[in-house]
Amino acid sequence: MLEEFREWQYDAEQAIKEWPDKLVEEALEQNNNYFGKAERWLKKKRPDYSDNFRGKPEEQFIVTVKAIYDEAIHRLHKLAMQQQMSNRSK
């Protein structure tokens, strides 16, 4: 059972690394490549903490999911800045 848990943990860690980029892609697809609308979409989908947060494992998972959305928003900002800089150099 421990090996199965370690495998799940490894798979989850890999997915956590991939999901921010997938969320950015989805947000841009949903909003016709408008960065501001994509950001609003991500913020709307991002979960929020419960009023009675006690730090249980399932609550910590929500913290992780929220962090994935936060990272996606950060990457979206970075992508927008890169596009803005490339438009300026043309």
Side-chain angles (χ1 to χ4, degrees):
M1 172 139 152
L2 183 58
E3 186 59 36
E4 183 181 346
F5 180 74
R6 285 183 179 155
E7 186 177 318
W8 172 81
Q9 182 182 1
Y10 175 81
D11 291 344
E13 287 171 356
Q14 296 309 305
I16 286 168
K17 293 175 185 175
E18 296 170 7
W19 272 108
D21 289 329
K22 291 178 180 182
L23 287 169
V24 167
E25 185 177 314
E26 178 71 15
L28 288 170
E29 285 176 10
Q30 293 290 321
N31 295 286
N32 298 318
N33 291 320
Y34 290 109
F35 289 103
K37 288 182 179 182
E39 180 181 0
R40 284 191 295 279
W41 185 85
L42 286 168
K43 286 181 177 180
K44 187 173 100 176
K45 300 294 182 187
R46 178 177 56 187
D48 204 1
Y49 305 117
S50 168
D51 288 340
N52 57 357
F53 184 84
R54 291 187 169 83
K56 295 178 185 177
E58 58 272 17
E59 293 171 324
Q60 290 295 330
F61 185 72
I62 292 172
V63 171
T64 301
V65 172
K66 188 174 186 312
I68 292 169
Y69 274 90
D70 291 342
E71 178 62 23
I73 292 167
H74 172 75
R75 291 183 188 182
L76 181 67
H77 288 172
K78 187 175 178 180
L79 186 62
M81 292 299 292
Q82 288 172 345
Q83 184 177 11
Q84 186 180 34
M85 294 306 283
S86 91
N87 287 343
R88 285 184 180 178
S89 65
K90 288 181 180 181

